[in-house]
Amino acid sequence: MTDFYIYENWTRKRGAIHYADCSYCNSGKGFQIEDSGRNGKWHGPYSLEEAFCRAATMLNIEPCKSCKPLPPA
Ligand SMILES: [Zn+2]
């Protein structure tokens, strides 16, 4: 099953939903060392449905423009 992660950025009050294998996600490890815990937090892994469901409870979470996860039908 494909896993999804949500990155929540506290300082910018926004975030994105990613496929686990997205290069920006790296299975929830992210791509910038300075991002590890200070500016935000990775949530997951989730199923597609759960990722979008949880994203709806956070501020300004959008599907990643790189890996483009689609909302569940
Ligand atoms: Zn992504």
Side-chain angles (χ1 to χ4, degrees):
M1 196 186 76
T2 308
D3 289 331
F4 295 84
Y5 287 82
I6 302 169
Y7 183 72
E8 182 183 19
N9 187 312
W10 295 317
T11 52
R12 293 180 190 168
K13 293 195 166 45
R14 64 190 183 94
I17 302 170
H18 296 272
Y19 279 96
D21 62 358
C22 173
S23 59
Y24 292 104
C25 175
N26 194 18
S27 293
K29 294 188 201 67
F31 60 99
Q32 290 176 321
I33 291 161
E34 59 265 36
D35 258 2
S36 58
R38 261 190 288 166
N39 297 320
K41 185 178 190 301
W42 285 96
H43 303 268
Y46 299 129
S47 67
L48 178 64
E49 288 80 4
E50 191 174 11
F52 274 86
C53 198
R54 288 183 183 255
T57 71
M58 303 176 199
L59 281 172
N60 301 320
I61 307 290
E62 295 182 340
C64 170
K65 288 178 174 60
S66 175
C67 59
K68 299 186 177 70
L70 292 171

Coordinates of all heavy atoms in Angstrom, one line a residue:
M1 N 0.8 -1.2 0.0 CA 0.0 0.0 0.0 C 0.9 1.3 0.0 O 1.9 1.3 0.6 CB -0.9 0.0 1.2 CG -2.1 1.0 1.1 SD -3.0 1.1 2.7 CE -1.9 2.1 3.7
T2 N 0.4 2.2 -0.7 CA 1.2 3.5 -0.7 C 0.9 4.3 0.5 O -0.2 4.4 1.0 CB 0.7 4.4 -1.9 OG1 0.8 3.6 -3.1 CG2 1.6 5.6 -2.1
D3 N 2.0 4.8 1.1 CA 1.9 5.6 2.3 C 2.0 7.1 1.9 O 2.6 7.5 1.0 CB 3.0 5.3 3.3 CG 2.8 4.0 3.9 OD1 1.6 3.5 4.1 OD2 3.8 3.3 4.3
F4 N 1.3 7.9 2.8 CA 1.3 9.4 2.6 C 1.8 10.0 3.9 O 1.5 9.5 5.0 CB 0.0 9.9 2.2 CG -0.5 9.4 0.9 CD1 -1.1 8.1 0.8 CD2 -0.3 10.1 -0.3 CE1 -1.4 7.6 -0.5 CE2 -0.6 9.6 -1.5 CZ -1.2 8.4 -1.6
Y5 N 2.4 11.2 3.8 CA 2.9 11.9 5.0 C 2.4 13.4 4.8 O 2.2 13.9 3.7 CB 4.4 12.0 5.1 CG 5.0 10.6 5.5 CD1 5.2 9.6 4.6 CD2 5.3 10.4 6.8 CE1 5.7 8.4 5.0 CE2 5.9 9.2 7.2 CZ 6.1 8.2 6.3 OH 6.6 7.0 6.7
I6 N 2.2 14.0 6.0 CA 1.8 15.4 6.0 C 3.0 16.2 6.7 O 3.4 15.8 7.8 CB 0.5 15.7 6.8 CG1 -0.6 14.9 6.2 CG2 0.2 17.2 6.8 CD1 -1.9 15.0 7.1
Y7 N 3.5 17.2 6.0 CA 4.4 18.1 6.7 C 3.7 19.4 7.1 O 3.1 20.1 6.3 CB 5.6 18.5 5.7 CG 6.6 19.3 6.5 CD1 7.4 18.8 7.4 CD2 6.7 20.7 6.2 CE1 8.3 19.5 8.1 CE2 7.6 21.5 6.9 CZ 8.4 20.9 7.9 OH 9.3 21.6 8.6
E8 N 3.8 19.6 8.4 CA 3.1 20.8 9.0 C 4.2 21.8 9.4 O 5.0 21.4 10.2 CB 2.3 20.4 10.2 CG 1.5 21.5 10.8 CD 0.8 21.0 12.1 OE1 1.1 20.0 12.6 OE2 -0.1 21.7 12.5
N9 N 4.2 23.0 8.8 CA 5.2 24.0 9.1 C 4.6 25.0 10.1 O 3.6 25.7 9.8 CB 5.6 24.7 7.8 CG 6.8 25.7 8.1 OD1 6.7 26.5 9.0 ND2 7.8 25.6 7.3
W10 N 5.1 25.0 11.3 CA 4.5 25.8 12.4 C 4.8 27.3 12.1 O 4.0 28.1 12.4 CB 5.1 25.5 13.7 CG 4.8 24.1 14.2 CD1 3.5 23.5 14.1 CD2 5.6 23.1 14.8 NE1 3.6 22.2 14.6 CE2 4.9 22.0 15.1 CE3 7.0 23.1 15.2 CZ2 5.4 20.9 15.7 CZ3 7.5 22.0 15.8 CH2 6.7 20.9 16.1
T11 N 6.0 27.6 11.7 CA 6.4 29.0 11.6 C 5.7 29.7 10.4 O 5.4 30.9 10.5 CB 7.9 29.2 11.4 OG1 8.3 28.3 10.3 CG2 8.6 28.8 12.7
R12 N 5.4 28.9 9.3 CA 4.7 29.5 8.2 C 3.2 29.2 8.2 O 2.5 29.7 7.3 CB 5.3 29.0 6.9 CG 6.8 29.5 6.7 CD 7.3 29.0 5.4 NE 8.7 29.3 5.3 CZ 9.5 28.7 4.3 NH1 9.0 27.9 3.5 NH2 10.8 29.0 4.3
K13 N 2.8 28.4 9.1 CA 1.4 28.0 9.2 C 0.9 27.5 7.9 O -0.2 27.9 7.4 CB 0.6 29.1 9.8 CG 0.9 29.5 11.2 CD -0.2 30.4 11.8 CE -0.1 30.5 13.3 NZ 1.3 30.7 13.8
R14 N 1.6 26.5 7.4 CA 1.1 25.9 6.2 C 1.8 24.5 6.1 O 2.7 24.2 6.9 CB 1.4 26.7 4.9 CG 2.9 26.9 4.6 CD 3.0 28.0 3.5 NE 4.4 28.1 3.1 CZ 5.0 27.5 2.1 NH1 4.3 26.6 1.4 NH2 6.3 27.7 1.9
G15 N 1.5 23.8 5.1 CA 2.1 22.5 4.9 C 1.6 21.7 3.7 O 0.9 22.3 2.9
A16 N 2.0 20.5 3.5 CA 1.7 19.8 2.3 C 1.6 18.3 2.6 O 2.2 17.7 3.5 CB 2.8 20.0 1.3
I17 N 0.8 17.7 1.8 CA 0.6 16.2 1.8 C 1.6 15.6 0.7 O 1.6 16.2 -0.4 CB -0.8 15.8 1.4 CG1 -1.8 16.4 2.4 CG2 -1.0 14.3 1.4 CD1 -3.3 16.3 2.0
H18 N 2.3 14.6 1.1 CA 3.2 14.0 0.1 C 3.1 12.5 0.1 O 2.7 11.8 1.0 CB 4.7 14.2 0.6 CG 5.1 15.6 0.7 ND1 5.7 16.3 -0.4 CD2 5.1 16.5 1.7 CE1 6.0 17.5 -0.1 NE2 5.6 17.7 1.2
Y19 N 3.4 12.0 -1.1 CA 3.7 10.5 -1.2 C 4.9 10.2 -0.4 O 5.9 11.1 -0.3 CB 4.0 10.1 -2.7 CG 2.7 9.9 -3.5 CD1 2.3 11.0 -4.3 CD2 2.1 8.7 -3.5 CE1 1.1 10.8 -5.1 CE2 0.9 8.5 -4.3 CZ 0.5 9.6 -5.1 OH -0.6 9.4 -5.9
A20 N 5.0 9.0 0.2 CA 6.2 8.7 1.0 C 7.4 8.7 0.2 O 8.5 9.1 0.7 CB 6.0 7.3 1.6
D21 N 7.3 8.4 -1.1 CA 8.6 8.3 -1.9 C 8.9 9.7 -2.6 O 9.8 9.7 -3.5 CB 8.5 7.2 -2.9 CG 7.4 7.3 -3.9 OD1 6.6 8.3 -3.8 OD2 7.2 6.5 -4.8
C22 N 8.1 10.7 -2.3 CA 8.4 12.1 -2.9 C 9.8 12.5 -2.4 O 10.1 12.2 -1.2 CB 7.4 13.1 -2.4 SG 7.7 14.8 -2.8
S23 N 10.6 13.1 -3.2 CA 11.9 13.5 -2.8 C 11.9 14.6 -1.7 O 12.9 14.7 -1.0 CB 12.7 14.1 -4.0 OG 12.0 15.2 -4.6
Y24 N 10.8 15.3 -1.6 CA 10.7 16.3 -0.5 C 10.3 15.7 0.8 O 10.4 16.2 1.9 CB 9.7 17.4 -0.9 CG 10.1 18.3 -2.0 CD1 9.5 18.1 -3.3 CD2 11.0 19.3 -1.8 CE1 9.9 18.9 -4.3 CE2 11.5 20.1 -2.8 CZ 10.9 19.9 -4.1 OH 11.3 20.7 -5.1
C25 N 9.7 14.5 0.7 CA 9.2 13.8 1.9 C 10.2 12.8 2.4 O 10.5 12.8 3.6 CB 7.9 13.0 1.5 SG 7.2 12.0 2.8
N26 N 10.8 11.9 1.5 CA 11.8 11.0 2.0 C 11.2 10.1 3.1 O 11.9 10.0 4.1 CB 13.1 11.7 2.3 CG 14.2 10.8 2.4 OD1 14.2 9.7 2.0 ND2 15.3 11.3 3.1
S27 N 10.1 9.6 3.0 CA 9.4 8.8 4.0 C 9.3 9.4 5.4 O 9.5 8.8 6.4 CB 10.1 7.4 4.1 OG 9.9 6.7 2.9
G28 N 9.0 10.7 5.3 CA 8.8 11.4 6.6 C 10.1 12.0 7.2 O 10.0 12.6 8.3
K29 N 11.2 11.8 6.5 CA 12.5 12.4 7.0 C 12.7 13.8 6.5 O 13.5 14.5 7.1 CB 13.6 11.5 6.7 CG 13.6 10.1 7.3 CD 14.9 9.4 7.1 CE 14.8 7.9 7.2 NZ 13.9 7.3 6.2
G30 N 12.1 14.2 5.4 CA 12.3 15.5 4.9 C 13.6 15.6 4.1 O 14.3 14.6 3.9
F31 N 13.9 16.8 3.6 CA 15.0 17.0 2.7 C 16.0 18.0 3.3 O 17.0 18.3 2.7 CB 14.6 17.4 1.3 CG 13.8 18.7 1.3 CD1 14.4 19.9 1.0 CD2 12.4 18.7 1.7 CE1 13.6 21.0 0.9 CE2 11.7 19.8 1.6 CZ 12.3 21.0 1.3
Q32 N 15.6 18.7 4.4 CA 16.5 19.7 5.0 C 16.8 19.3 6.4 O 15.8 19.1 7.2 CB 15.9 21.1 4.9 CG 15.8 21.6 3.5 CD 15.2 23.0 3.5 OE1 14.2 23.2 4.2 NE2 15.7 23.9 2.7
I33 N 18.0 19.2 6.8 CA 18.3 18.8 8.2 C 17.8 19.9 9.2 O 17.3 19.5 10.2 CB 19.9 18.7 8.3 CG1 20.4 17.5 7.6 CG2 20.3 18.6 9.8 CD1 21.8 17.5 7.3
E34 N 17.8 21.1 8.8 CA 17.3 22.2 9.7 C 15.8 22.1 9.9 O 15.2 22.8 10.7 CB 17.8 23.6 9.3 CG 17.3 24.0 8.0 CD 18.4 23.7 6.9 OE1 19.1 22.7 7.0 OE2 18.5 24.5 6.0
D35 N 15.1 21.3 9.0 CA 13.7 21.2 9.2 C 13.3 20.1 10.2 O 12.1 20.0 10.5 CB 13.1 20.8 7.8 CG 12.4 22.0 7.1 OD1 12.5 23.1 7.7 OD2 11.9 21.8 6.0
S36 N 14.2 19.4 10.7 CA 13.9 18.3 11.5 C 13.5 18.7 12.9 O 14.2 18.6 13.9 CB 15.1 17.3 11.6 OG 16.2 18.0 12.1
G37 N 12.2 19.2 13.0 CA 11.7 19.4 14.3 C 11.5 20.8 14.8 O 10.7 21.1 15.6
R38 N 12.3 21.7 14.2 CA 12.3 23.1 14.7 C 11.2 24.0 14.1 O 10.5 24.7 14.8 CB 13.6 23.8 14.5 CG 14.5 23.8 15.8 CD 15.7 24.7 15.7 NE 16.6 24.1 14.8 CZ 17.7 24.8 14.2 NH1 17.8 26.0 14.5 NH2 18.5 24.2 13.4
N39 N 11.0 23.8 12.8 CA 10.0 24.6 12.1 C 8.7 23.9 11.8 O 7.7 24.5 11.5 CB 10.6 25.1 10.7 CG 11.8 26.0 10.9 OD1 11.8 26.8 11.8 ND2 12.8 25.8 10.1
G40 N 8.8 22.6 12.0 CA 7.5 21.9 11.7 C 7.7 20.4 12.1 O 8.6 20.0 12.7
K41 N 6.7 19.7 11.6 CA 6.6 18.3 12.0 C 6.0 17.4 10.9 O 5.1 17.8 10.2 CB 5.7 18.2 13.3 CG 5.6 16.8 13.9 CD 4.7 16.9 15.1 CE 4.8 15.6 16.0 NZ 4.4 14.4 15.2
W42 N 6.6 16.2 10.7 CA 6.0 15.2 9.8 C 5.0 14.4 10.5 O 5.3 13.9 11.6 CB 7.1 14.4 9.3 CG 8.0 15.0 8.3 CD1 9.2 15.7 8.5 CD2 7.7 15.2 6.9 NE1 9.7 16.2 7.3 CE2 8.8 15.9 6.3 CE3 6.6 14.8 6.0 CZ2 8.8 16.3 4.9 CZ3 6.7 15.2 4.7 CH2 7.7 15.9 4.2
H43 N 3.9 14.2 9.9 CA 2.8 13.3 10.4 C 2.7 12.2 9.5 O 2.6 12.3 8.2 CB 1.5 14.1 10.5 CG 1.5 15.3 11.3 ND1 1.2 15.3 12.7 CD2 1.8 16.6 11.0 CE1 1.3 16.6 13.1 NE2 1.7 17.4 12.1
G44 N 2.6 11.0 10.0 CA 2.3 9.8 9.2 C 3.2 8.6 9.6 O 3.9 8.7 10.6
P45 N 3.2 7.6 8.8 CA 2.5 7.4 7.5 C 0.9 7.2 7.7 O 0.5 6.7 8.7 CB 3.1 6.2 7.0 CG 3.5 5.3 8.2 CD 3.9 6.4 9.2
Y46 N 0.2 7.7 6.7 CA -1.2 7.6 6.6 C -1.6 7.0 5.3 O -0.9 7.0 4.3 CB -1.9 8.9 6.7 CG -1.6 9.7 8.0 CD1 -1.2 11.0 7.9 CD2 -1.8 9.1 9.3 CE1 -0.9 11.8 9.1 CE2 -1.6 9.9 10.4 CZ -1.1 11.2 10.3 OH -0.9 11.9 11.4
S47 N -2.8 6.4 5.3 CA -3.5 6.1 4.0 C -3.9 7.4 3.4 O -3.9 8.4 4.0 CB -4.7 5.2 4.3 OG -5.7 6.0 4.9
L48 N -4.2 7.3 2.1 CA -4.6 8.5 1.4 C -5.8 9.2 2.1 O -5.8 10.4 2.3 CB -5.0 8.1 -0.1 CG -5.5 9.3 -0.9 CD1 -4.4 10.3 -1.1 CD2 -5.9 8.8 -2.3
E49 N -6.8 8.4 2.4 CA -8.0 8.9 3.0 C -7.7 9.6 4.4 O -8.1 10.7 4.6 CB -9.0 7.8 3.3 CG -9.7 7.3 2.1 CD -8.9 6.3 1.3 OE1 -7.8 5.9 1.8 OE2 -9.3 5.8 0.2
E50 N -6.8 9.0 5.2 CA -6.5 9.5 6.5 C -5.7 10.8 6.3 O -5.8 11.8 7.1 CB -5.8 8.5 7.3 CG -5.7 9.0 8.8 CD -5.1 7.9 9.7 OE1 -4.6 6.9 9.3 OE2 -5.2 8.2 10.9
A51 N -4.8 10.8 5.4 CA -3.9 12.0 5.1 C -4.8 13.2 4.8 O -4.6 14.3 5.4 CB -2.9 11.7 4.0
F52 N -5.7 13.0 3.9 CA -6.6 14.2 3.6 C -7.5 14.6 4.7 O -7.8 15.7 4.9 CB -7.3 13.9 2.3 CG -6.5 14.3 1.0 CD1 -5.6 13.4 0.5 CD2 -6.6 15.5 0.5 CE1 -4.8 13.7 -0.6 CE2 -5.8 15.9 -0.7 CZ -4.9 14.9 -1.2
C53 N -8.0 13.6 5.4 CA -8.8 13.8 6.6 C -8.1 14.6 7.6 O -8.6 15.6 8.2 CB -9.3 12.5 7.1 SG -10.7 12.6 8.1
R54 N -6.9 14.2 7.9 CA -6.1 15.0 9.0 C -5.7 16.3 8.5 O -5.6 17.3 9.2 CB -4.9 14.1 9.4 CG -5.3 12.9 10.2 CD -4.1 12.2 10.7 NE -4.5 11.0 11.4 CZ -4.4 10.9 12.8 NH1 -3.9 11.9 13.5 NH2 -4.9 9.8 13.4
A55 N -5.4 16.4 7.2 CA -4.9 17.7 6.6 C -6.0 18.7 6.8 O -5.8 19.9 7.0 CB -4.6 17.5 5.2
A56 N -7.3 18.3 6.7 CA -8.4 19.2 6.8 C -8.5 19.8 8.2 O -9.2 20.8 8.4 CB -9.7 18.4 6.5
T57 N -7.9 19.2 9.2 CA -7.9 19.7 10.6 C -6.7 20.7 10.8 O -6.6 21.2 11.9 CB -7.9 18.6 11.6 OG1 -6.6 18.0 11.6 CG2 -8.9 17.5 11.3
M58 N -5.8 20.8 9.9 CA -4.6 21.7 10.1 C -4.8 22.9 9.2 O -5.6 23.0 8.3 CB -3.3 20.9 9.7 CG -3.1 19.7 10.5 SD -1.7 18.8 10.0 CE -2.0 17.2 10.6
L59 N -3.9 23.9 9.4 CA -3.9 25.1 8.6 C -3.2 25.0 7.3 O -2.1 24.6 7.2 CB -3.3 26.3 9.4 CG -4.1 26.9 10.6 CD1 -3.2 27.8 11.4 CD2 -5.3 27.6 10.0
N60 N -3.9 25.4 6.2 CA -3.3 25.6 4.9 C -2.5 24.4 4.4 O -1.4 24.6 4.0 CB -2.5 26.9 4.9 CG -3.3 28.1 5.2 OD1 -4.4 28.2 4.8 ND2 -2.7 29.0 6.0
I61 N -3.0 23.2 4.6 CA -2.3 22.1 4.0 C -2.8 21.8 2.6 O -4.0 21.7 2.4 CB -2.6 20.8 4.9 CG1 -2.3 21.1 6.4 CG2 -1.7 19.6 4.4 CD1 -0.8 21.2 6.7
E62 N -1.8 21.7 1.7 CA -2.2 21.5 0.3 C -1.4 20.3 -0.2 O -0.4 19.9 0.3 CB -1.8 22.7 -0.5 CG -2.6 23.9 -0.2 CD -2.3 25.1 -1.1 OE1 -1.2 25.1 -1.7 OE2 -3.1 26.0 -1.1
P63 N -2.0 19.6 -1.3 CA -1.2 18.6 -1.9 C 0.1 19.1 -2.4 O 0.2 20.2 -3.0 CB -2.1 18.1 -3.0 CG -3.5 18.5 -2.7 CD -3.3 19.8 -1.9
C64 N 1.2 18.4 -2.3 CA 2.5 18.8 -2.8 C 2.5 19.0 -4.2 O 1.8 18.3 -5.0 CB 3.5 17.6 -2.4 SG 5.1 17.9 -3.2
K65 N 3.1 20.1 -4.7 CA 3.1 20.4 -6.1 C 4.1 19.5 -6.9 O 4.1 19.5 -8.1 CB 3.5 21.9 -6.3 CG 2.4 22.8 -5.9 CD 2.7 24.3 -6.0 CE 1.5 25.2 -5.7 NZ 1.0 25.0 -4.3
S66 N 4.9 18.8 -6.2 CA 5.9 17.9 -6.9 C 5.3 16.5 -7.1 O 5.3 16.0 -8.2 CB 7.2 17.9 -6.0 OG 8.1 16.9 -6.6
C67 N 4.8 15.9 -6.0 CA 4.3 14.5 -6.1 C 2.8 14.5 -6.4 O 2.3 13.4 -6.8 CB 4.7 13.7 -4.9 SG 4.1 14.3 -3.3
K68 N 2.1 15.6 -6.2 CA 0.7 15.7 -6.6 C -0.2 14.6 -6.1 O -0.9 13.9 -7.0 CB 0.6 15.9 -8.1 CG 1.3 17.1 -8.7 CD 1.0 17.2 -10.1 CE 1.6 18.4 -10.8 NZ 3.1 18.3 -10.9
P69 N -0.3 14.4 -4.8 CA -1.3 13.4 -4.4 C -2.7 13.9 -4.6 O -3.0 15.1 -4.4 CB -1.0 13.2 -2.9 CG -0.4 14.5 -2.5 CD 0.4 15.0 -3.7
L70 N -3.6 13.1 -5.1 CA -5.0 13.5 -5.4 C -5.9 13.1 -4.2 O -5.8 12.1 -3.6 CB -5.5 12.8 -6.7 CG -4.8 13.3 -8.0 CD1 -5.2 12.4 -9.1 CD2 -5.1 14.8 -8.3
P71 N -6.9 14.0 -3.9 CA -7.8 13.6 -2.9 C -8.6 12.3 -3.2 O -8.8 12.1 -4.4 CB -8.8 14.8 -2.9 CG -8.1 15.9 -3.5 CD -7.2 15.3 -4.5
P72 N -9.0 11.6 -2.2 CA -9.7 10.3 -2.5 C -11.0 10.6 -3.2 O -11.7 11.7 -2.9 CB -9.9 9.7 -1.1 CG -9.6 10.8 -0.1 CD -8.7 11.8 -0.8
A73 N -11.5 9.8 -4.1 CA -12.7 10.0 -4.8 C -13.9 10.0 -3.9 O -13.9 9.2 -2.9 CB -12.8 9.0 -5.9
Ligands
ZN1 ZN 5.7 15.7 -2.4

